[in-house]
Amino acid sequence: MSAEVIYGKQLAEDLRQEMKEEVSALHTKDIRPKLVVVILGEDPASMSYVKGKQRASEKIGMDSELIELPVETSEQELLDLIEKLNQDATVHGILVQLPVPDHISDQKIIEAIHPDKDVDGFHPANVGKMMTGQDTFFPCTPYGILVMLKRAEITLEGKHVVIIGRSNLVGKPVGQLLLNENATVTHCHSRTKQLQSHTKQADILIVAAGKPSLISGEDIKEGAVVIDVGVNRVDGKLTGDVDFESAKEVASHITPVPKGVGPMTITMLLHNTIKAAKRIHNQ
Ligand code: NAP
């Protein structure tokens, strides 16, 4: 068997086209969704993510602003800026590129962003809503995975989903979103014993460990759906956590790296910002 490849890139383009039309319709009602991205320092990888977010916003006609602050900005200065953005009625989504430098608490920053403008979905109030099955802003990568699975018409109810990873960014929230869809969810992590005995049971295997080629064809049940979240650079080349060539011979569906989960993350950020604008304007 050779798996059907789920290209997040294509789906992301289709969704962004729909969003472009939605933004344009909101403009006719004088609603201009706006995302503000704040970055501290000049880390090239973070800067490239941030520029990608800004370009994607502009491409769908959404207002966006990039605030670049020096790395020595104090925690209080950053908190003051966030408060100003919280109060600014023209701003609908606020994103501070994480991690922030060591002298600033990530958690304090996450909690300072008003939950109604928390388009990353990291604020404890929004995490709590997600856990209790309420509508809210869902974290972008997990949400992107959920949308990919749904658009590929993969049944989730009753399926055994095995997730490698339990980070607050990916592993835990994707597990929660799939539990909310009535899947049976198992989380594996670095202390899990006999990883393969778990992965072999998965109807849907989601790999978010950040370890190149952690999973290969022999770890996968015949016909499983494999979602590779990993982004690793090996010998200058971008690669996932799954050995694509061997896995695709066993899986029924598989996402590639690049062009898989990655493009969906920014797309869901745009979705969340439009949603924030609509909610703030009672649309
Ligand atoms: P993270 O915070 O480092 O978490 C990695 C998780 O994997 C941890 O729970 C860790 O277990 C587990 N793990 C690590 N090695 C393992 C092993 N050998 N066996 C089993 N479990 C193992 O990383 P993250 O932020 O969740 O990101 C995961 C990957 O996804 C990274 O490659 C990242 O670059 C990528 N990512 C991609 C996107 C995208 O848009 N495509 C977005 C976010 C992240 P412990 O908890 O026990 O340490």
Side-chain angles (χ1 to χ4, degrees), residues 49-238:
Y49 282 134
V50 158
K51 290 256 157 81
K53 287 167 185 173
Q54 210 192 6
R55 260 197 316 274
S57 308
E58 283 162 5
K59 266 194 171 164
I60 63 158
M62 200 162 84
D63 293 354
S64 79
E65 185 182 344
L66 173 61
I67 302 181
E68 295 177 63
L69 299 176
V71 71
E72 59 273 13
T73 303
S74 72
E75 186 174 88
Q76 193 54 52
E77 283 169 324
L78 183 55
L79 290 170
D80 290 346
L81 171 66
I82 292 171
E83 189 45 32
K84 205 173 110 207
L85 296 171
N86 282 340
Q87 300 296 334
D88 185 339
T90 68
V91 175
H92 304 100
I94 305 169
L95 184 153
V96 178
Q97 185 67 33
L98 298 174
V100 283
D102 288 347
H103 64 279
I104 301 177
S105 150
D106 280 10
Q107 200 53 36
K108 253 196 191 170
I109 299 309
I110 287 170
E111 292 182 24
I113 296 171
H114 194 288
D116 291 348
K117 298 189 178 188
D118 167 40
V119 286
D120 253 343
F122 294 160
H123 192 289
N126 288 325
V127 175
K129 281 188 172 176
M130 180 178 64
M131 284 215 59
T132 50
Q134 299 176 62
D135 184 34
T136 187
F137 302 115
F138 302 130
C140 300
T141 302
Y143 193 17
I145 293 168
L146 176 64
V147 170
M148 273 175 109
L149 289 168
K150 285 193 167 178
R151 288 272 179 143
E153 298 183 345
I154 311 278
T155 306
L156 301 172
E157 184 164 322
K159 292 290 177 69
H160 186 190
V161 178
V162 176
I163 299 162
I164 308 184
R166 56 170 167 178
S167 70
N168 292 336
L169 183 68
V170 186
K172 279 187 210 157
V174 78
Q176 187 61 55
L177 287 177
L178 294 171
L179 186 61
N180 292 355
E181 297 289 332
N182 298 318
T184 301
V185 177
T186 299
H187 283 275
C188 300
H189 46 78
S190 67
R191 318 286 169 86
T192 299
K193 294 195 169 72
Q194 295 174 328
L195 188 65
Q196 196 193 60
S197 69
H198 297 280
T199 60
K200 275 280 204 187
Q201 289 181 36
D203 300 315
I204 300 172
L205 179 63
I206 300 178
V207 192
K211 296 279 180 289
S213 299
L214 177 66
I215 293 299
S216 60
E218 64 192 19
D219 304 310
I220 299 167
K221 181 169 85 173
E222 186 83 32
V225 175
V226 178
I227 306 290
D228 188 355
V229 190
V231 178
N232 310 290
R233 204 165 272 282
V234 178
D235 298 331
K237 212 173 140 236
L238 220 54

Side-chain angles (χ1 to χ4, degrees), residues 25-37:
L26 287 170
H27 284 174
T28 65
K29 298 179 188 172
D30 275 338
I31 301 169
R32 301 194 62 86
K34 179 174 177 181
L35 173 69
V36 175
V37 178

